[in-house]
Amino acid sequence: MKALVLEEKGKLALREFDIPGELRPRDVRIKTHTVGICGSDVHYYTHGKIGHFVVNEPMVLGHEASGIVIECGAEVTDLKPGDRVCMEPGIPDPDSRASKLGIYNVDPAVRFWATPPVHGCLTPEVIHPAAFTYKLPDNVSFAEGAMVEPFAIGMQAALRARIQPGDVAVVTGAGPIGMMVALAALAGGCAKVIVADLAQQKLDIIAGYDGIEVVNIRETPVAEAVAKRTGGWGADVVFECSGAAPAVLGMPQLARPGGTIVLVGMPVDPVPVDIVGLQAKELRLETVFRYANVYDRAIALMASGKVDLTPLISDSIPFADSIAAFDRAVEARETDVKLQIVMPE
Ligand code: ZN
C-alpha cells in the first residue's frame, strides 16, 4: 500500500510501504478517509525530532484521522463494516498503572501514531483497537471527524480549567490548538474568550465566532487588553497556547486573584516562570499533555452544533499531492489553520 513516508529529516516520499500488523480480535481495519496535517507532523518533517523522539528510520506520518470500518476482529461488538469513524491515535497499555487511573495519556508505554517509532495513518488502510475508534454521528462529516483529534486537546484544557458558567478566559497563541482551546472553553461555559496573537489573519479567522474577542499583541500588550476588558480584575482562566517564553512569563499578570492557568503550548526549550507572580494571586496551575477520555464529549459537542470546526479547515488536498501539502504547511501561511489530506476513494 502507498503511504506518506518521512524517510529522514526534510525528505518525504509517497511510496509503497506496508505497516506491519495483523487484525487481532479487538481490532478493526479502517479505510482512512481524511487526515489532518498537525504541527507535530510538520516538525518531524523539518527537524527530524521532537524532544527525545527522534526519527531514526522511515516513518509514516499523520495522526488526525477519520475513515470507514471495513473489517472487524472476532470480539468487536460495537462497530461493524461501513461505520464512519474517527480514531484516537494514542494507544496505552490497558494494564498499566496510568490506564487504571484513567490518565492513559501519560502512560509511559503509550504508542501514539506518527511518534517514533510508531507509524502514523497517512496510508489507505490502518488497523486500530476498536476501543479507540469512535463512531461519527450522521451529521459529523469525515472532515470534521479528522478535527476531533486536535479539538480533543482543547477539550482536555477546558476540562482541566474547571470552567464555571460565565467565566472570562484568555488564550495566548492563536495557532490551531489555541483556536481549539478557545472554542472548547466557550462550549464549556465561558461567557467570553479573549484570544491574543501577533498574526492578524489568524485572529480574524477566530474572531468570526460569537463570544471571541481578539487582541493583536503587536498593537496592544495583552495584559493591558485583558485588564481593560475585565475592569482591572483579570481573567478567570488563562490558557497558555503559544509556548513562547514572554507569554509564559507574563501569565500571572493576566489572571484574576485565585484564577487558573492552564499550560497547553510546549516551549521547545525550558523557559522561566514567575513563581512569585503565581503565589501572590494563589493561582492554580494545570498542565495538559494530549488528552484522555474526551473523544466522546468532543464528538457530542460537534454533533450538537455547539461547536463548528469547519471554518478552521483551510483546504483539502488529495493524497497524491501530500508532499506539496506538507511543503505548504511548512511555509506556515498565515491564512491556513488546518490543511487536510483526503485519501483516494
Ligand atoms: Zn495533532
Side-chain angles (χ1 to χ4, degrees):
M1 242 177 311
K2 275 232 158 69
L4 183 70
V5 182
L6 178 60
E7 306 281 8
E8 58 190 70
K9 174 179 153 180
K11 190 173 169 211
L12 288 171
L14 200 58
R15 65 166 169 96
E16 286 298 318
F17 191 98
D18 285 318
I19 300 174
E22 47 166 335
L23 191 80
R24 295 164 305 171
R26 293 187 188 181
D27 289 342
V28 287
R29 189 185 304 278
I30 300 159
K31 183 175 172 349
T32 44
H33 186 289
T34 301
V35 182
I37 299 179
C38 180
S40 69
D41 295 312
V42 175
H43 200 91
Y44 282 122
Y45 176 31
T46 53
H47 292 75
K49 61 175 183 164
I50 295 179
H52 61 277
F53 293 104
V54 182
V55 180
N56 291 318
E57 282 174 24
M59 177 179 80
V60 177
L61 290 174
H63 63 260
E64 304 179 354
S66 62
I68 301 172
V69 175
I70 51 175
E71 189 185 354
C72 293
E75 292 172 19
V76 175
T77 53
D78 51 351
L79 290 169
K80 58 182 189 314
D83 281 346
R84 300 165 60 257
V85 293
C86 67
M87 295 80 97
E88 183 171 348
I91 308 302
D93 168 359
D95 299 324
S96 71
R97 205 160 164 175
S99 291
K100 287 182 198 161
L101 287 169
I103 52 170
Y104 61 83
N105 53 319
V106 287
D107 179 5
V110 77
R111 292 174 56 81
F112 196 95
W113 272 345
T115 302
V118 183
H119 292 296
C121 60
L122 267 165
T123 187
E125 267 182 43
V126 290
I127 292 171
H128 206 59
F132 290 84
T133 303
Y134 299 80
K135 240 171 128 159
L136 293 174
D138 290 342
N139 65 344
V140 176
S141 66
F142 285 115
E144 291 173 285
M147 295 292 269
V148 174
E149 198 279 335
F151 185 56
I153 297 163
M155 293 293 295
Q156 180 85 353
L159 286 159
R160 282 281 175 274
R162 291 184 233 147
I163 292 164
Q164 302 283 313
D167 273 355
V168 173
V170 181
V171 174
T172 47
I177 295 301
M179 293 191 191
M180 299 293 173
V181 169
L183 297 179
L186 274 181
C190 282
K192 175 160 75 177
V193 179
I194 302 163
V195 180
D197 201 285
L198 301 158
Q200 190 58 43
Q201 281 165 300
K202 295 239 159 114
L203 292 173
D204 290 343
I205 293 166
I206 196 68
Y209 286 90
D210 289 339
I212 302 269
E213 293 181 14
V214 296
V215 183
N216 189 323
I217 57 172
R218 276 190 213 285
E219 290 155 15
T220 314
V222 60
E224 187 186 313
V226 170
K228 197 169 155 201
R229 290 168 201 213
T230 58
W233 176 235
D236 299 292
V237 184
V238 177
F239 294 100
E240 205 308 289
C241 299
S242 71
V248 173
L249 198 59
M251 295 181 312
Q253 275 184 285
L254 309 182
R256 70 159 167 88
T260 299
I261 290 178
V262 185
L263 292 172
V264 186
M266 284 192 173
V268 177
D269 297 308
V271 296
V273 175
D274 176 5
I275 304 285
V276 175
L278 297 171
Q279 290 170 320
K281 288 183 174 173
E282 278 203 345
L283 301 177
R284 181 167 61 91
L285 194 65
E286 294 277 351
T287 62
V288 165
F289 183 70
R290 297 174 181 155
Y291 40 76
N293 300 308
V294 304
Y295 259 56
D296 288 317
R297 291 167 182 274
I299 294 166
L301 274 176
M302 290 162 76
S304 75
K306 289 200 170 81
V307 173
D308 178 10
L309 301 176
T310 49
L312 306 184
I313 301 168
S314 309
D315 209 349
S316 304
I317 298 155
F319 181 53
D321 300 331
S322 298
I323 297 175
F326 266 77
D327 286 332
R328 174 169 160 183
V330 170
E331 282 174 42
R333 300 184 354 169
E334 299 228 313
T335 48
D336 287 338
V337 181
K338 180 60 69 181
L339 298 178
Q340 291 186 329
I341 292 174
V342 179
M343 306 307 288
E345 279 298 309

